Amino acid sequence: MTKRRLPKPSELREILRPKPFVLDPTERRLGRAHTIPDLRTIARLRTPRAVFDYTDGAAELEDSLRRARQAFRRVEFHPNVLRGVADVDTSTTVLGKRSALPFAFAPTGFTRVMHHEGERAVAHVAQREGIPVSLSTMGTTSIEDVAAAAPEARKWFQLYVWRDRGAGLDLMRRAHESGFDTLLLTVDTPVGGARMRDVRNGLTIPPTLTPRTFLDGAMHPAWWFNLLTTEPLQFASLSSWGGTVAELINHMFDPALNFDDLAWVRENWPGKLVVKGIQNADDARDVVKHGADAVLLSNHGGRQLDRAPTPLELLPPTLDAVNGDAEVWLDTGILSGGDIVAAIAQGATTCLVGRAYLYGLMAGGERGVQRCVDILRTEIVRTMQLLGVRTIDALRPSHATLR
Ligand SMILES: Cc1cc2nc3c(=O)[nH]c(=O)nc-3n(C[C@H](O)[C@H](O)[C@H](O)COP(=O)(O)O)c2cc1C
């Protein structure tokens, strides 16, 4: 028989410690996010449906994105033990400069729609954390304003070469003059992908008030209040636009784009050049022959061609084809630090994250983006320690295989 007794008050006091109440609601919310999917859950509650769907969604049946995420789940890590991993160094060299972590913020269009702090918030965090930040041609903060917000951050500019080549030249000149050291030329957008959630939600730029969005506004008053009381939401590199996202993309993108245009960009951009949206090894080799310093294996976060190849699976053949003549980077589907470690082990020099930080931005502005980095860093460090690896350079393909 178990002998029972009454617990002493002092024993109860020991275990009954209510958590201190956090007054600041953003801090309180973010304190509950321990993973990137947690940030996504908060983001969904904080933003109108059309905004969340624009960020979260992908093209057609969204298989490109689903498969890319699934590939990371198929990774099997192979640890070594007794390797003395008390101190882990997560820094790495990307196109000749040190980055404190093996990832950068991907270029994303229309960022201020997710949270009014937008690109500036992302650039502040990049500066604080010592990682690169990319600004999209479709950004909602100008090149000069991002440079002023984070003068010390390493900044990259993403270019869409649109029909008006003069406008592209002007953007390249301004980015270079503002200290952006690398150009990401996006080439997977001859036309826009079919983002069905945007079509169904009737997403327009700027957002329009219909009876439905009005109702939604009642559920997200803080978002609408911030939208209406901060600087007007518009594309910083384009004159004003009053249509849907899909219409804008098809207006801007040039289906005639070809290798001569790549040569033209190479001639006109004095900094490092990365070609973004490479989806097979032969194209990787060809763009490197045209002067690319790095290729970014990416299917645009699944937002362009559906059922596209999975970047993680393209790494080995691409590394073979490029044969050390350029760096190979990767994005699409990254939702954890472990995903990043797996991609680096497979040979990527660095990774870009898109939605991961956008979920943070929607969940809590700059502090949410910071939370995203804190989560990813913690996961990267822990994965490296559990793998028995102290430096990024020591990661090998044998550490992370696909099953
Ligand atoms: C909301 C959103 C907007 C994007 N806008 C751009 C863009 O303007 N230019 C670009 O090259 N890529 C754009 N991308 C693609 C990202 O740069 C990146 O390739 C992608 O987000 C990586 O996938 P992930 O979101 O799963 O990390 C966008 C992605 C998202 C989610």
Side-chain angles (χ1 to χ4, degrees), residues 54-55 65 106-109 114 136 138 158 160 186 276 298 300-301 303 331-334 353-355 358:
Y54 163 70
T55 311
L65 178 61
T108 55
M114 292 146 208
S136 162
M138 299 240 201
Q158 178 269 320
Y160 284 126
T186 301
K276 176 175 187 286
S298 164
H300 211 111
R303 298 162 76 83
D331 80 20
T332 301
I334 290 171
V353 297
R355 293 179 185 82
L358 294 176

Side-chain angles (χ1 to χ4, degrees), residues 2-58:
T2 310
K3 236 177 111 191
R4 307 264 172 206
R5 66 179 177 93
L6 270 177
K8 291 186 200 134
S10 63
E11 288 173 335
L12 283 179
R13 259 201 312 277
E14 269 288 293
I15 53 173
L16 280 179
R17 282 204 212 134
K19 264 199 184 156
F21 182 74
V22 181
L23 264 183
D24 184 288
T26 305
E27 290 300 327
R28 203 164 55 237
R29 260 197 320 274
L30 293 175
R32 288 197 292 267
H34 305 291
T35 63
I36 301 300
D38 289 346
L39 283 177
R40 177 179 179 274
T41 303
I42 302 170
R44 189 204 276 271
L45 295 171
R46 298 292 302 163
T47 45
R49 183 180 170 157
V51 171
F52 178 79
D53 275 350
Y54 163 70
T55 311
D56 190 60

Side-chain angles (χ1 to χ4, degrees), residues 74-152:
R74 283 176 28 231
V75 166
E76 184 170 272
F77 284 121
H78 305 278
N80 288 116
V81 294
L82 300 172
R83 291 299 196 273
V85 287
D87 298 309
V88 162
D89 180 0
T90 57
S91 69
T92 190
T93 302
V94 180
L95 292 179
K97 289 190 187 162
R98 262 342 244 181
S99 171
L101 290 159
F103 68 88
F105 293 133
T108 55
F110 213 28
T111 314
R112 284 193 61 242
V113 80
M114 292 146 208
H115 189 281
H116 63 283
E117 293 173 5
E119 287 90 351
R120 284 189 187 85
V122 184
H124 285 154
V125 177
Q127 174 165 282
R128 199 157 47 234
E129 292 296 329
I131 62 174
V133 56
S134 324
L135 174 66
S136 162
T137 296
M138 299 240 201
T140 41
T141 307
S142 75
I143 291 172
E144 292 76 13
D145 286 348
V146 169
E152 303 303 323

